[in-house]
Amino acid sequence: IERDPSPRAESPIEHLFFSAFEFMTPHLMLPKQCGFQFQQQREIGKYRADFYISLLNTERKMKEMVVEIDGHDFHERTKAQAARDRSRDRWMDDMGILVVRFTGIEAWANPFGCVDQVASRIYRLRHGVNEREARTRAGFEALRAILAKPDAE
């Protein structure tokens, strides 16, 4: 699949993560009613997130996550930059927003691995449990629905 890089990404590693995420999105199997949103360069308060994800959990409460791809040029090159990032993470946490950070090296080496980790956190936000537990619960819910159907005889 050939795609143009995202016009909103600000760096090559953001383009790479965006492309990997877009490729994997259909495999997340999120129901349409969960209100899933994936946005780039989203303003949140006085900050701007590389990637912003929001969805409704199974109790219909809005859950939010920010994904940051930290290239060396803009993050942790100096102590002041590192301090700004930590302060920003604390503010997001206070707002109830989960922050997931990847180094540029992680994103270059394994963009799909980064997306897989984000997908696991999406499941945790949606179901309150990890992906494996969520799949187990979904299986039990499907089984209950099948068993609850009256016989068609």
Side-chain angles (χ1 to χ4, degrees):
I1 295 175
E2 189 172 325
R3 295 180 187 236
D4 291 330
S6 166
R8 300 199 70 192
E10 293 185 339
S11 70
I13 55 175
E14 288 178 17
H15 286 293
L16 184 62
F17 180 84
F18 174 83
S19 296
F21 193 88
E22 285 291 301
F23 181 78
M24 294 301 292
T25 299
H27 304 286
L28 295 177
M29 298 181 293
L30 291 168
K32 290 181 185 197
Q33 66 269 23
C34 80
F36 179 78
Q37 291 183 16
F38 176 67
Q39 300 172 343
Q40 292 181 270
Q41 304 304 324
R42 166 79 183 261
E43 299 290 330
I44 303 173
K46 64 180 183 177
Y47 302 105
R48 184 174 53 183
D50 291 343
F51 300 96
Y52 171 81
I53 296 169
S54 65
L55 70 152
L56 297 173
N57 70 5
T58 54
E59 297 170 351
R60 309 284 302 155
K61 293 180 182 171
M62 182 61 68
K63 296 294 182 176
E64 299 172 293
M65 176 172 36
V66 163
V67 178
E68 292 294 327
I69 310 294
D70 296 343
H72 179 69
D73 291 343
F74 299 103
H75 302 274
E76 298 194 15
R77 189 176 221 182
T78 68
K79 289 181 181 182
Q81 287 170 328
R84 276 194 303 273
D85 284 347
R86 298 304 164 261
S87 175
R88 180 179 182 276
D89 290 355
R90 286 190 299 275
W91 182 85
M92 297 261 185
D93 184 59
D94 288 346
M95 300 303 294
I97 302 170
L98 174 65
V99 178
V100 179
R101 284 187 178 275
F102 297 103
T103 66
I105 292 169
E106 288 175 300
W108 275 122
N110 189 1
F112 289 104
C114 294
V115 169
D116 185 55
Q117 290 181 46
V118 169
S120 292
R121 284 166 178 82
I122 288 170
Y123 277 100
R124 193 175 310 143
L125 288 175
R126 173 95 173 121
H127 299 282
V129 294
N130 65 31
E131 182 179 358
R132 175 182 241 164
E133 180 65 22
R135 286 183 181 178
T136 301
R137 288 183 184 188
F140 283 131
E141 289 171 17
L143 210 77
R144 279 190 207 108
I146 291 168
L147 296 173
K149 288 182 182 178
D151 289 336
E153 294 181 53

